[in-house]
Amino acid sequence: MSLLHFFIPNFYFLSVRLSIRYVNYHELNGGEEESRKSNYTDLVNKYYDLVTSFYEYGWGDSFHFAGRWPGETVRESIKRHQHFMALQLGLKEGMKVLDVGCGIGGPLVEIARFSSALITGLNNNDYQISRGQVNTLEFLRIAPAGSMRVYNFLRTASEGLLKGGREGIFTANFFILGRKPVLARECNSEWQCWINAAIASDDRKVRCINALHFHTSYINLEVMSKTGAFDLASGLGGSIGKDQVKSAVEQYVKYHDLHGGEEKSRMLNYTDLVNKYYDLATSFYEYGWGDSFHFAGRWHEETFCESIKRHQHFIALQLGLTKGMKVLDVGCGIGGPLIEIARFSSTLITGLNNNDYQMSRGKRGVYREIHRVLKPGQYFALDEWCMTDRFDPNNAKHLAIKAEIELGDGLPDIRTTRQCVQAMKDAGFEVTFAKDLAEDFPCPWYQPMDPSHFSWTSFQCTRPGRFITRAILNTLEFLHIAPAGSMRVYHFLQTASEGLLKGGREGIFTATFFVLGRKPVQETETVNGDL
C-alpha cells in the first residue's frame, strides 16, 4: 500500500473519534476482560476498522509474522510461512479450502496461486472485505480526528510484541495441524484418494548414495554461494588445474555442433563433457545466479529470489513432504534447492552429484534407477529443460537455438516434453502431473536473461552488469589472477544466455517443465501396512 493510497479519504474513518472508545476495553485504559468478551464483536470490528490501513501501509497485505533464516527478507519469510501452511494441508490443484479470518486476502491469494487450490475467505469485518484504505494527515484535517490515537496504540502493540518476543513469553508463530478422523463407513471416493496419497507418502524412504546430506538443524549457510568478483576468479576452473583451464575450454567447445562437434561424440563422452562444463561454469553460475541453478516464472511484484524459492516450495508441495521424510535430490548442483527444501519441509535430504567441484561447493537410465530404489506408492518429481511441441527439427533457426543452449549449458542433447514424459512412463512410473509451469505466470522465466530488462536483484544479468563483469574478468585474466581461458568460458555462457532467451521467446524451449511420477502400488502390495 503506497503513501498515496494511505492518504485517500475513506468513509469508514468518518467515525474514528467515536470508535476510539475501542481503547477503553483494555486494561491499560481501565477496561476488563469480562467486558471485552461480552463485547467481542464490537471490539474486533472497531479494531480492524481503525488499524487495517496502518497494517497495509506498514506490513503489506499479509498480517502475520514468520521466523527468518539468515539472508532471508521479511517478504520471503512471510511467503515461505504461507507455502508451509499449504504443504502441511497437502493442498493440490482444485481442492476447496476455507480461510477463516482471511483479513484483506493476502495469504489467501498467495496460497491459492501457489497451490492452485480454490480458496474462499471468511471475514466478519466489512471494512477489510471492501479493502478500504486509511487517509492522510490529521493535521491537515484530511484524516479524521483520532488517527494519531490509533497510530499510538499500534505503537504500543509493536513495543509489546517486541518485549514479549525478547523475553520469550510470547510467540506469533504457534502452528497446529488438526485432522478430522476418518471412519471406515464415512469414506467417500473423492477424499479417500487424497487421504490414501497422504498415507502413501508417510514413509517415503529411498536407498541412496551419501553425497551431500542436509537437515534443518545443521545447515551451514557460510559454505554456500560465493558471489564476489574475486570469488569468481579464484573458483574458475573448479577441480581443473589453473594452467589447464584454457585447454579444457577448447576441448569442451569442440564437443558441440557450433564448433564442429556431433551428438554421438557428446553422448559417448557425456561424463567428460558434463564435468568439464560444471568445473568451468559453476563459479559464473554462483556469481550471476546464486546457489540455485534453475529458472521460475514470476508474478508481478515478485522478486527473482522469491520466485526461485516459491518454485522449490512447489516441488515440496507436489511431493507431499513432511517432517522426517528421507529424500534424494538427483543432480543437486551445489545444494541451493536442497537446503531450501530441507529447511522448508524439515525433511532429511541427500544430494547426488557426479561433479567433484560442485560437491566440494556445497536420462532414461537414471529414471529406471530411481524407479528401482523407490518403494511402491512413492513419488519422483522431475524439473526438466525441454524443447516444446513448437520445436521443429527441420527448422534451421530452431536447430541453431538448440545448439546454443547445448553449448552454453553442458547438454549433449535436449529432449522434447513428450519424450520426457514417455521416458518416465518407460521407466515404470505413473505420470500423475506434467506441465510447463511457465504457462501460469505473467513474467516469463527467461526475463532475467534479457539484458534490456533492468533489475537490481539480478544486476549481473543486465547490460551494464555484463559490461562490468566482462571488464573485471578481462582485467583479472590479464593480471593472471583469473586463469587463461576465463574470458572464453564467459563467452560460451553468453551464448547460453542468448540461446535461452531466443528459445523462450520463440516458445520452442522451456526451463520449467515439471513432471510428477508415482511408482505403482501392485494389487498384492500395501504401503506402510495401512492400505
Side-chain angles (χ1 to χ4, degrees):
M1 182 182 184
S2 67
L3 275 170
L4 179 61
H5 289 127
F6 188 76
F7 290 164
I8 296 174
N10 186 280
F11 167 79
Y12 287 96
F13 277 79
L14 296 178
S15 59
V16 168
R17 188 180 294 279
L18 180 64
S19 295
I20 209 67
R21 294 174 185 170
Y22 159 80
V23 298
N24 295 329
Y25 282 126
H26 293 274
E27 272 94 341
L28 293 179
N29 290 276
E32 297 178 352
E33 182 180 345
E34 184 178 342
S35 174
R36 290 196 295 278
K37 288 181 176 179
S38 60
N39 295 279
Y40 181 71
T41 300
D42 182 60
L43 179 148
V44 170
N45 275 315
K46 277 188 170 60
Y47 178 77
Y48 284 110
D49 280 345
L50 294 166
V51 307
T52 294
S53 293
F54 284 95
Y55 274 23
E56 288 189 87
Y57 175 66
W59 210 249
D61 58 10
S62 297
F63 305 162
H64 65 84
F65 296 89
R68 287 196 299 124
W69 297 104
E72 188 178 42
T73 67
V74 171
R75 259 179 56 134
E76 289 168 359
S77 71
I78 292 292
K79 288 177 182 287
R80 172 180 46 75
H81 186 81
Q82 292 161 356
H83 298 168
F84 174 81
M85 286 190 274
L87 178 70
Q88 295 303 306
L89 289 169
L91 300 188
K92 300 292 182 183
E93 184 173 0
M95 281 186 177
K96 294 182 179 180
V97 181
L98 180 63
D99 180 358
V100 180
C102 65
I104 63 171
L108 180 157
V109 170
E110 178 64 27
I111 293 173
R113 66 185 188 182
F114 170 64
S115 64
S116 297
L118 302 169
I119 306 183
T120 300
L122 181 62
N123 192 338
N124 67 345
N125 182 261
D126 292 336
Y127 176 54
Q128 286 200 333
I129 293 172
S130 72
R131 283 190 60 95
Q133 294 167 334
V134 83
N135 315 304
T136 68
L137 304 176
E138 181 178 352
F139 176 74
L140 296 177
R141 297 180 181 274
I142 299 173
S147 297
M148 282 305 299
R149 187 78 183 279
V150 177
Y151 174 75
N152 287 333
F153 75 64
L154 286 174
R155 280 191 58 188
T156 302
S158 177
E159 292 164 4
L161 291 169
L162 183 61
K163 292 173 186 174
R166 283 177 171 171
E167 291 286 329
I169 62 172
F170 173 83
T171 179
N173 287 121
F174 188 62
F175 182 84
I176 303 176
L177 182 66
R179 180 174 181 263
K180 182 178 179 179
V182 179
L183 302 176
R185 62 179 181 276
E186 292 180 345
C187 291
N188 60 63
S189 58
E190 178 184 0
W191 287 100
Q192 185 66 9
C193 292
W194 175 47
I195 294 168
N196 283 354
I199 292 172
S201 69
D202 282 346
D203 192 32
R204 193 168 300 148
K205 298 174 181 174
V206 295
R207 189 178 70 192
C208 56
I209 298 171
N210 283 318
L212 291 172
H213 194 65
F214 283 96
H215 183 255
T216 308
S217 59
Y218 54 89
I219 292 171
N220 181 2
L221 295 172
E222 294 179 358
V223 304
M224 292 311 295
S225 179
K226 300 192 285 188
T227 57
F230 282 96
D231 290 321
L232 167 62
S234 63
L236 210 153
S239 59
I240 299 173
K242 300 302 180 186
D243 57 342
Q244 301 293 315
V245 169
K246 188 174 182 179
S247 62
V249 175
E250 297 299 330
Q251 293 168 33
Y252 168 75
V253 297
K254 286 178 181 177
Y255 281 127
H256 291 275
D257 296 359
L258 294 179
H259 294 266
E262 297 178 350
E263 182 182 339
K264 184 178 179 180
S265 174
R266 291 196 295 276
M267 291 296 189
L268 290 173
N269 297 280
Y270 179 71
T271 300
D272 183 60
L273 179 149
V274 170
N275 276 318
K276 276 189 170 61
Y277 177 78
Y278 284 108
D279 279 338
L280 295 169
T282 294
S283 289
F284 283 96
Y285 274 26
E286 289 188 84
Y287 175 71
W289 216 249
D291 58 16
S292 297
F293 306 161
H294 65 84
F295 294 88
R298 285 194 304 118
W299 299 108
H300 290 304
E301 299 183 0
E302 185 179 42
T303 68
F304 170 74
C305 188
E306 288 170 355
S307 71
I308 292 293
K309 291 188 176 187
R310 173 184 40 73
H311 186 80
Q312 293 160 0
H313 298 169
F314 174 82
I315 293 172
L317 178 70
Q318 294 302 307
L319 287 171
L321 301 185
T322 57
K323 186 174 182 179
M325 282 184 178
K326 293 182 179 180
V327 182
L328 179 65
D329 180 358
V330 180
C332 64
I334 64 170
L338 180 156
I339 287 178
E340 179 62 28
I341 293 173
R343 67 186 188 181
F344 171 64
S345 61
S346 297
T347 47
L348 299 159
I349 304 185
T350 297
L352 182 62
N353 192 337
N354 69 346
N355 182 260
D356 291 337
Y357 176 54
Q358 286 200 334
M359 292 303 301
S360 72
R361 294 291 303 122
K363 280 223 187 171
R364 190 162 299 176
V366 174
Y367 297 170
R368 287 201 178 104
E369 181 62 14
I370 292 170
H371 181 273
R372 185 184 69 80
V373 302
L374 286 175
K375 287 185 177 181
Q378 296 168 3
Y379 291 85
F380 169 39
L382 175 68
D383 197 23
E384 188 64 282
W385 288 21
C386 294
M387 308 308 294
T388 70
D389 289 341
R390 296 179 65 178
F391 171 71
D392 180 1
N394 299 312
N395 185 310
K397 181 180 179 182
H398 289 188
L399 289 174
I401 292 171
K402 179 174 179 282
E404 288 179 350
I405 297 171
E406 289 169 349
L407 167 66
D409 293 289
L411 302 171
D413 189 26
I414 309 173
R415 290 179 298 177
T416 65
T417 53
R418 292 178 186 271
Q419 289 173 328
C420 185
V421 171
Q422 189 58 49
M424 289 277 281
K425 292 178 179 178
D426 291 345
F429 287 102
E430 297 173 347
V431 175
T432 62
F433 182 80
K435 185 177 183 180
D436 181 0
L437 300 180
E439 295 173 356
D440 294 335
F441 296 93
C443 302
W445 61 264
Y446 53 82
Q447 189 178 66
M449 314 303 293
D450 185 353
S452 64
H453 173 73
F454 188 84
S455 170
W456 285 114
T457 58
S458 52
F459 178 75
Q460 296 94 323
C461 297
T462 65
R463 189 167 282 115
R466 293 182 184 192
F467 175 81
I468 293 170
T469 300
R470 187 166 57 248
I472 291 173
L473 192 60
N474 216 353
T475 302
L476 293 175
E477 184 172 348
F478 176 77
L479 296 174
H480 302 290
I481 296 173
S486 296
M487 281 302 299
R488 190 74 188 277
V489 178
Y490 176 78
H491 287 311
F492 76 63
L493 288 173
Q494 287 300 298
T495 300
S497 178
E498 292 162 7
L500 291 168
L501 183 60
K502 294 174 191 173
R505 283 177 170 170
E506 292 283 328
I508 63 171
F509 174 83
T510 177
T512 57
F513 189 62
F514 183 83
V515 185
L516 186 66
R518 181 174 183 263
K519 184 172 181 177
V521 179
Q522 303 300 324
E523 290 183 4
T524 57
E525 297 179 85
T526 60
V527 179
N528 295 342
D530 293 324
L531 298 175

